[in-house]
Amino acid sequence: MKKLKDAPPPIPGGEPADAVRRRLVFAGIATAGLAGCGGGSSGTHMAAESPPAPNVTAPTGSGWPSLPMLQNTSGPGQFSAALTASPTTANFLPGIATQILAYNGTTPGPMIDAYEGDAVRIRFTNRLDQDTTVHWHGLPVPASEDGNPMNPVAPGTSRDYAYTLPIGSAGTYWYHPHPHETTPEQVYRGLAGIFIVRSRTDPLATLPERLVVITDLRLDATGQIAANTATDLANGREGDQVLVNGAHQPVDTIAPGATERWRVLDATNGRYLRLVLDGGPMWVVALDGCSLPGPMAVSELLLAPGQRAEVVVRAPVTSGQKLVLRTIAYNRGAMVPIAPPVKLLEITTTQAAALAPITLPASLPAPPPLPMNLATAQTVVLSDMGMGMGASGTGRFTINGKSFDPTRDDITMKAGVPEEWIVRNAGMMDHPLHIHGTSFQLVASTRANIASDPRLNAFMDTVNLISGEQIRIRLRIDTPGRRMFHCHILEHEAQGMMGVINIAA
Ligand code: C2O
Ligand code: CU
Ligand code: CU
């Protein structure tokens, strides 16, 4: 919090007009907010502010780390497997065993690779010393199978998660814990994995694929994962080093001119990834679990925590050239210094003869648009400015003025009936809103540049709202039950920025 001491005074009145001003406004007002909630009613583990760790940085430049695959023990049409969450150790630093939590012993967890139509049955065992769940982020699974905080798996017990992957659900998803209040800690200690659903008619199926699962890591002076600080709880945790498939700035080679599909996942608790690719073009072909209507060339792409994108990239045509994926500064309005730009990975072209460029299909299997002219069924207001801890139990992070209560239904809907929602970010920093069990269509935003944004009219399950932004989304949830919706900055989710949608049959 040192930054606050010399923060400028708040700028009175008016809506923040640009990024710099937004940051100043936030720094000013937040001083009061923090004083009001300094006691911290949160149930998450929180350490005292510790001095910055000395330079405990994992070595860079390892070969390409491919992810282990979750073994399917059934034949075609089914996906049966066993998944266990347990404490173990990892060697991020030479000679140091860092305590982590892992799915089947690795972080990130094993990649799940299944097909549309598959009947999935995953036997999950909890070997942690606390409750957990497995949530299938973005997948339209029945509410009972979605790993909601209301359905914990107790330590030492197992349960099956069983669901069918609907036709039309092909895309890039992920899985992670979703227990009440302890989700942030379980995720930053290592529990997260990518989940790919394939289509048998994928127009991009011939492209070689690369998985880019991004996590971040903060180690203390002894090489152990540092606990969340008050700053993390307020702003969302950002680790000190950003890992790709568990490795720090891995390198690889590629044939000159090669075209690849990269599936990129932001599995961090609170880090925004404003991605740029040096050395070649980049086309977005899917956001979260859904194809765009066609490939869209972009010079940069913002991923908020929880989001995925599929991009097609092309390597330079001469040998010894590099493709470098890196981040550039993004001001998310938080009361922390803007995360410094980082290099994520580096891929060098080989001596081989250049491959001919592959022409991308002009159209891709985007979901059909939802009906227009729907009446507004819900208005959802996100806030990060509650003053905390009243008798109402309402804390700083709220949706429609309320902190999460697992027993309360915040929104009711009817299964299979499309609705339009207005969502507004009345807070001071960006918040990525995520809705379980469906993908929604972003149809409008008050943001000035939305018309050129690949997200406009696209389907996604997580959408970032900047401070003051108001959007309209259309959504339909096909199966009944109680579903979560929340900010995907996990520290905000755990401190109350979550609600329940009850979908009636
Ligand atoms: Cu990825 Cu409710 O979460
Ligand atoms: Cu989810
Ligand atoms: Cu948030």
Side-chain angles (χ1 to χ4, degrees):
M1 305 289 155
K2 288 147 220 124
K3 194 165 177 286
L4 282 179
K5 287 196 188 116
D6 40 40
I11 296 168
E15 203 163 279
D18 60 62
V20 173
R21 188 158 163 228
R22 187 154 60 102
R23 179 162 44 103
L24 298 179
V25 169
F26 182 70
I29 298 174
T31 311
L34 271 186
C37 27
S41 64
S42 140
T44 53
H45 298 224
M46 189 184 105
E49 290 294 319
S50 48
N55 207 3
V56 280
T57 303
T60 60
S62 71
W64 191 257
S66 54
L67 296 170
M69 288 211 357
L70 190 64
Q71 259 338 293
N72 180 8
T73 58
S74 296
Q78 289 173 33
F79 189 95
S80 309
L83 190 69
T84 299
S86 58
T88 182
T89 59
N91 287 101
F92 298 113
L93 305 176
I96 293 186
T98 301
Q99 305 287 328
I100 61 164
L101 304 179
Y103 288 122
N104 291 4
T106 68
T107 186
M111 153 204 195
I112 300 179
D113 198 344
Y115 274 90
E116 287 179 348
D118 280 0
V120 175
R121 179 170 293 270
I122 293 178
R123 163 56 56 102
F124 173 67
T125 302
N126 178 8
R127 296 230 169 86
L128 309 178
D129 62 5
Q130 54 185 220
D131 285 354
T132 191
T133 74
V134 187
H135 169 56
W136 317 97
H137 178 126
L139 283 168
V141 308
S144 62
E145 309 305 301
D146 208 21
N148 288 330
M150 300 82 95
N151 306 122
V153 181
T157 68
S158 296
R159 70 156 279 176
D160 283 2
Y161 288 102
Y163 45 85
T164 296
L165 300 170
I167 300 297
S169 65
T172 305
Y173 302 89
W174 64 302
Y175 61 99
H176 63 78
H178 219 306
H180 190 42
E181 292 179 335
T182 47
T183 297
E185 181 173 13
Q186 291 187 11
V187 175
Y188 76 66
R189 293 196 184 279
L191 293 173
I194 195 167
F195 191 138
I196 295 170
V197 181
R198 296 185 191 278
S199 148
R200 300 198 190 268
T201 57
D202 179 355
L204 301 174
T206 56
L207 296 180
E209 278 188 20
R210 191 180 291 274
L211 304 183
V212 181
V213 175
I214 297 177
T215 56
D216 64 6
L217 181 67
R218 189 191 309 144
L219 299 177
D220 65 18
T222 66
Q224 298 304 316
I225 293 177
N228 264 348
T229 63
T231 302
D232 296 325
L233 295 184
N235 299 288
R237 178 188 180 95
E238 292 172 348
D240 299 328
Q241 39 200 319
V242 185
L243 306 182
V244 172
N245 301 348
H248 192 202
Q249 296 173 352
V251 301
D252 202 1
T253 58
I254 191 170
T259 306
E260 288 188 344
R261 173 202 249 177
W262 293 3
R263 298 179 188 258
V264 188
L265 157 62
D266 183 346
T268 69
N269 283 26
R271 178 181 293 268
Y272 282 68
L273 301 166
R274 186 176 170 195
L275 299 169
V276 294
L277 181 70
D278 296 335
M282 170 164 80
W283 294 268
V284 189
V285 294
L287 292 173
D288 291 344
C290 297
S291 285
L292 297 186
M296 187 164 176
V298 292
S299 55
E300 61 173 78
L301 183 65
L302 181 70
L303 287 189
Q307 291 188 304
R308 293 84 64 212
E310 295 177 25
V311 293
V312 172
V313 307
R314 186 167 296 150
V317 293
T318 53
S319 59
Q321 302 300 303
K322 289 181 194 314
L323 275 183
V324 174
L325 186 68
R326 61 189 174 89
T327 66
I328 56 177
Y330 177 69
N331 183 354
R332 61 189 181 92
M335 199 185 39
V336 286
I338 296 173
V342 289
K343 181 165 104 175
L344 296 170
L345 58 90
E346 179 181 296
I347 301 177
T348 306
T349 52
T350 62
Q351 302 295 321
L355 300 174
I358 292 174
T359 309
L360 298 180
S363 72
L364 296 168
L370 287 167
M372 311 205 307
N373 307 324
L374 298 168
T376 301
Q378 300 294 339
T379 300
V380 172
V381 179
L382 311 174
S383 173
D384 53 32
M385 292 185 281
M387 299 307 278
M389 276 117 56
S392 66
T394 293
R396 175 170 174 196
F397 297 99
T398 60
I399 297 182
N400 291 349
K402 293 175 180 150
S403 295
F404 176 59
D405 175 349
T407 66
R408 184 185 66 225
D409 293 338
D410 296 279
I411 288 176
T412 54
M413 276 178 86
K414 235 180 132 37
V417 179
E419 287 193 350
E420 188 162 294
W421 292 12
I422 289 177
V423 185
R424 186 170 71 239
N425 180 359
M428 291 180 287
M429 66 181 107
D430 288 28
H431 296 287
L433 179 76
H434 169 52
I435 303 174
H436 283 205
T438 193
S439 296
F440 51 80
Q441 190 180 15
L442 177 72
V443 295
S445 163
T446 53
R447 203 192 289 213
N449 55 0
I450 193 70
S452 58
D453 192 314
R455 302 178 311 156
L456 186 64
N457 295 316
F459 283 78
M460 59 204 93
D461 56 56
T462 306
V463 63
N464 187 53
L465 290 96
I466 62 172
S467 175
E469 182 176 6
Q470 178 167 301
I471 61 171
R472 285 194 292 130
I473 59 172
R474 294 187 190 132
L475 75 164
R476 196 187 67 219
I477 302 181
D478 287 329
T479 55
R482 300 178 81 227
R483 302 280 185 180
M484 322 311 297
F485 69 112
H486 58 88
C487 176
H488 219 288
I489 290 176
L490 295 178
E491 285 74 17
H492 295 172
E493 174 263 348
Q495 291 174 95
M497 207 173 205
M498 175 154 70
V500 174
I501 310 169
N502 193 343
I503 298 109

